[in-house]
Amino acid sequence: MSGHIQDQAVVLQSAAVLLQYPDAFVYDALPTVVGALRALPPGVPVERLLSLATKLQATPHQEMQEHYVAVLDRKRRCCLYLTWWAHGETRRRGLALARLNQLYREHGAALDSTELPDFLPLVLEFAATVDLAAGLAVLQAHRAGLELLRLALAELATPYAAALEAVCTLLPGASPRDEREARALAASGPPSELVGLAAPGGTTGYGAADPTFDSFIPLDDLGVRR
């Protein structure tokens, strides 16, 4: 595995942990996350992600939990479920969720029934520890929603905006500067090669296979299991 790929995996897995509800698992994982981010080579933009991790470390658990619920659970425009941004609560969303489940099965990962397959931390964990190319393709297919979420969190001045900024920097092209540009991106749709349930050969078309990654936080802890 190349160093560049490993660096991307560390950023994605760190964001996956930090975007979860800050329970005991997240707090226990913070020293590992901080150590992994600080070990990345110069040039990898992790300062904002580190600021979120250190903010969590320095803030009482209950205070961060209340903030998480108020922002990421209760505000519709801060939804962490990727397919909601494209489809809302429609039948099309059900098909998109089925497609993600199919992708996980193709790569030998089974989803814990307690969480939907489009939950952003789950997708990030899949990209970091199972298949980077396929995971990044999922994120790129939902780029408009990710950017709208990033802008909403930035407007609220929540420290969780740092995690979305880190994820979006790994995707090709510049991020939209405002909501108008992000909605224009949504109107244009995903790249044509990402459209459709299956690609030739029976795969989902989300991306080519990459080597399986050894995660620095166990995959089981995020609700996916090989």
Side-chain angles (χ1 to χ4, degrees):
M1 186 193 320
S2 72
H4 177 65
I5 290 174
Q6 179 64 51
D7 296 345
Q8 289 181 306
V10 170
V11 171
L12 290 169
Q13 177 128 26
S14 299
V17 173
L18 297 174
L19 281 170
Q20 293 184 89
Y21 177 77
D23 57 10
F25 161 71
V26 170
Y27 275 95
D28 288 346
L30 287 176
T32 304
V33 170
V34 170
L37 290 173
R38 287 180 172 161
L40 290 174
V44 181
V46 297
E47 291 77 13
R48 294 275 288 128
L49 205 53
L50 269 171
S51 74
L52 171 56
T54 53
K55 170 72 173 178
L56 281 162
Q57 286 181 313
T59 306
H61 294 201
Q62 184 175 350
E63 182 178 335
M64 285 305 302
Q65 289 168 350
E66 290 174 353
H67 177 76
Y68 184 99
V69 170
V71 173
L72 293 169
D73 281 350
R74 293 182 179 167
K75 291 189 182 297
R76 193 174 182 85
R77 66 193 184 113
C78 298
C79 179
L80 289 176
Y81 294 89
L82 293 181
T83 63
W84 178 86
W85 289 94
H87 306 298
E89 298 300 337
T90 66
R91 180 177 178 274
R92 291 191 304 275
R93 186 183 179 202
L95 295 173
L97 292 171
R99 182 186 179 195
L100 277 171
N101 271 326
Q102 179 183 335
L103 177 72
Y104 295 150
R105 287 195 300 271
E106 287 172 358
H107 289 80
L111 179 65
D112 189 311
S113 61
T114 61
E115 197 50 84
L116 291 173
D118 64 337
F119 186 50
L120 179 55
L122 197 63
V123 177
L124 296 173
E125 176 77 4
F126 171 80
T129 63
V130 180
D131 191 299
L132 182 64
L136 288 175
V138 173
L139 295 171
Q140 182 65 11
H142 294 278
R143 180 72 178 269
L146 283 171
E147 297 289 2
L148 286 167
L149 174 58
R150 176 185 63 81
L151 291 166
L153 294 176
E155 183 181 334
L156 292 169
T158 170
Y160 285 105
L164 268 296
E165 292 171 10
V167 171
C168 290
T169 61
L170 298 183
L171 301 177
S175 285
R177 292 169 295 181
D178 53 35
E179 184 176 340
R180 179 186 61 81
E181 288 188 4
R183 293 197 178 278
L185 179 64
S188 67
S192 59
E193 66 270 17
L194 301 179
V195 176
L197 180 63
T203 64
T204 60
Y206 270 121
D210 247 21
T212 297
F213 298 111
D214 293 323
S215 57
F216 61 85
I217 295 170
L219 192 63
D220 291 347
D221 290 335
L222 278 181
V224 178
R225 56 184 182 277
R226 287 194 180 93

